Amino acid sequence: EPEVTQTPSHQVTQMGQEVILRCVPISNHLYFYWYRQILGQKVEFLVSFYNNEISEKSEIFDDQFSVERPDGSNFTLKIRSTKLEDSAMYFCASSDSLTAIGELFFGEGSRLTVL
Amino acid sequence: AQKVTQAQTEISVVEKEDVTLDCVYETRDTTYYLFWYKQPPSGELVFLIRRNSFDEQNEISGRYSWNFQKSTSSFNFTITASQVVDSAVYFCALSEDDTGANSKLTFGKGITLSVRP
């Protein structure tokens, strides 16, 4: 069964460092998303991406964040200068929203720890 | 603004018991979608069901059933004859987008369900 894969599964970084989280969405999907879950808290929307551009972003997704689809398969989230409060589990998701509104396929997440 | 409340945080049951997970939502839109996702110990979020605001029919899928009541803004999830494999965190979510172009979901805080043998 097709799946969304994310790397790394866990990254530890120092405050102020740049981090890139990588995702390979399901190959025929058109819409891509990043969500995050701070430990013990709710899952929060960060950004959605369609047709090589951001279609919507949340207040959390400030200038320190960026997303890119550098080739036909990868979808990346970059945090330019990490802060302690960026520590969270980051989930990538993809969907074929033409037929399945809200039916997102999530990866297993990348845990980011900022020290 | 949209909001999803899952008042229960942790539920523990013995196998074969029925269990209901509550979800209450707030939205100003007349068109919206409600969802349940399961997060097993492996961590990924697994889609279980979608309901649109115009369809209040209850749905049953095997041991799972969902009760959508617009009058009380609730979308509750019942697992009948629970099994150990049902142990997971369950999230209720809401989307106000009806175009499908943006599946921006607002999640509740989740309910941790533990099913003991």
Side-chain angles (χ1 to χ4, degrees), chain A residues 31 33 35 37 40-45 48 50 55-58 91 95 97-108, chain B residues 3-4 33 35 37 39 42-47 50 89 91 95 97-110:
Chain A
Y31 300 87
Y33 310 86
Y35 282 77
Q37 184 181 28
Q41 298 186 28
K42 62 176 67 174
V43 178
E44 300 173 295
F45 170 80
S48 58
Y50 169 70
S55 40
E56 190 167 359
K57 59 184 180 180
S58 71
F91 290 101
S95 74
S97 284
L98 293 177
T99 58
I101 296 170
E103 185 176 344
L104 306 187
F105 290 78
F106 283 84
E108 292 187 350
Chain B
K3 185 178 176 183
V4 175
Y33 293 81
F35 309 85
Y37 276 82
Q39 185 179 39
S42 51
E44 78 277 18
L45 292 147
V46 179
F47 169 85
R50 172 183 60 248
V89 182
F91 292 93
S95 172
D97 170 54
D98 60 354
T99 66
N102 278 312
S103 286
K104 175 185 172 185
L105 304 180
T106 297
F107 284 86
K109 288 188 174 181

Side-chain angles (χ1 to χ4, degrees), chain A residues 58-78:
Chain A
S58 71
E59 292 175 355
I60 303 168
F61 195 89
D62 62 22
D63 292 344
Q64 293 300 312
F65 290 86
S66 61
V67 289
E68 195 176 39
R69 189 158 161 80
D71 53 43
S73 59
N74 290 287
F75 179 51
T76 62
L77 174 69
K78 182 194 289 187

Side-chain angles (χ1 to χ4, degrees), chain B residues 9-88:
Chain B
T9 52
E10 294 185 27
I11 299 175
S12 182
V13 298
V14 176
E15 212 169 15
K16 297 184 184 170
E17 280 186 32
D18 298 348
V19 58
T20 296
L21 311 181
D22 298 333
C23 174
V24 173
Y25 64 92
E26 293 176 31
T27 177
R28 286 179 289 203
D29 278 19
T30 55
T31 302
Y32 53 90
Y33 293 81
L34 295 162
F35 309 85
W36 277 93
Y37 276 82
K38 174 182 180 179
Q39 185 179 39
S42 51
E44 78 277 18
L45 292 147
V46 179
F47 169 85
L48 295 178
I49 190 172
R50 172 183 60 248
R51 248 323 175 232
N52 74 54
S53 52
F54 299 108
D55 183 2
E56 283 194 77
Q57 273 194 332
N58 291 333
E59 180 155 340
I60 298 174
S61 175
R63 295 184 298 106
Y64 294 172
S65 62
W66 291 269
N67 181 260
F68 175 29
Q69 292 195 352
K70 285 177 79 169
S71 60
T72 55
S73 297
S74 65
F75 185 45
N76 297 337
F77 174 27
T78 297
I79 302 175
T80 303
S82 59
Q83 300 176 1
V84 172
V85 293
D86 296 327
S87 296

Side-chain angles (χ1 to χ4, degrees), chain A residues 1-89:
Chain A
E1 185 176 313
E3 59 179 16
V4 176
T5 57
Q6 291 185 240
T7 55
S9 55
H10 188 195
Q11 180 153 359
V12 181
T13 190
Q14 295 290 326
M15 193 168 55
Q17 295 295 305
E18 176 182 285
V19 159
I20 296 176
L21 305 179
R22 291 183 168 82
C23 169
V24 179
I26 295 174
S27 62
N28 63 340
H29 283 185
L30 303 173
Y31 300 87
F32 313 109
Y33 310 86
W34 285 99
Y35 282 77
R36 80 173 185 189
Q37 184 181 28
I38 295 173
L39 186 64
Q41 298 186 28
K42 62 176 67 174
V43 178
E44 300 173 295
F45 170 80
L46 292 179
V47 66
S48 58
F49 191 87
Y50 169 70
N51 201 25
N52 282 319
E53 61 182 25
I54 290 173
S55 40
E56 190 167 359
K57 59 184 180 180
S58 71
E59 292 175 355
I60 303 168
F61 195 89
D62 62 22
D63 292 344
Q64 293 300 312
F65 290 86
S66 61
V67 289
E68 195 176 39
R69 189 158 161 80
D71 53 43
S73 59
N74 290 287
F75 179 51
T76 62
L77 174 69
K78 182 194 289 187
I79 308 174
R80 269 181 263 283
S81 177
T82 50
K83 308 184 192 74
L84 295 177
E85 55 264 37
D86 293 328
S87 294
M89 181 73 90

